[in-house]
Amino acid sequence: MVADPVPLQLAAELFPNGISRYAVGGLFVGLGAAVIYVGTGISAGASTFLESTLSYVSGQSRFQQYVASRDWRLVFTLGIILGAAVYAVAYQGGAWTTDVAWWRLLLGGIFVGVGTRVGKGCTSGHGVCGVGSASKTSLAGVLAFLLVAILTAQVVAALGVTP
């Protein structure tokens, strides 16, 4: 009996360049989250790391709670940004560009920021660290993130919105 080639065709459509780079990237993300947790006891959520950088410019108490650990968090945040830049230059032949209008990027960033506040964390914190530690709150959060993202994508596509 011959195996059904449909899953292979679907994988080829979803990952036209193969899955190895995603698997390696996922291993590095998981390893990085584990190293940070083992070394510091802190879950490696990007929103908290970005929020900690505000302790350099704001005296508000909610930002000052990060003063003791903000230096290595800043290095982590810069690593995310520089890692994306290096990838763009090495594998995409130059800086990353988009056809999306600047105001849509700004509005999307505001929505993400508000969602991160309301959801008490971001997709990286809940999705990588929270799900990895079997947190019920994070599992519910990731389910909500996915459902809202799928619904939003369907509505945007149905409205015919383009960049």
Side-chain angles (χ1 to χ4, degrees), residues 60-162:
Q60 289 187 14
S61 62
R62 73 183 252 197
F63 301 128
Q64 292 306 307
Q65 66 181 330
Y66 302 112
V67 168
S69 63
R70 69 184 179 185
D71 293 338
W72 72 264
R73 291 174 187 250
L74 179 63
V75 171
F76 179 87
T77 303
L78 291 173
I80 292 172
I81 296 165
L82 292 175
V86 167
Y87 179 86
V89 170
Y91 293 103
Q92 297 176 336
W96 182 77
T97 60
T98 182
D99 293 329
V100 178
W102 69 268
W103 64 268
R104 288 186 178 171
L105 293 173
L106 179 66
L107 185 62
I110 291 169
F111 282 147
V112 167
V114 169
T116 298
R117 246 316 117 215
V118 171
K120 296 190 181 357
C122 60
T123 52
S124 65
H126 285 297
V128 175
C129 300
V131 170
S133 64
S135 163
K136 291 179 184 175
T137 302
S138 291
L139 289 168
V142 169
L143 180 63
F145 298 154
L146 287 173
L147 290 175
V148 169
I150 291 167
L151 178 64
T152 301
Q154 295 301 315
V155 168
V156 167
L159 292 173
V161 176
T162 60

Side-chain angles (χ1 to χ4, degrees), residues 15-27:
F15 305 103
N17 297 319
I19 63 167
S20 62
R21 68 177 64 182
Y22 306 107
V24 170
L27 288 172

Side-chain angles (χ1 to χ4, degrees), residues 44-69:
S47 63
T48 304
F49 284 41
L50 289 170
E51 184 177 359
S52 70
T53 61
L54 293 175
S55 68
Y56 287 103
V57 295
S58 174
Q60 289 187 14
S61 62
R62 73 183 252 197
F63 301 128
Q64 292 306 307
Q65 66 181 330
Y66 302 112
V67 168
S69 63

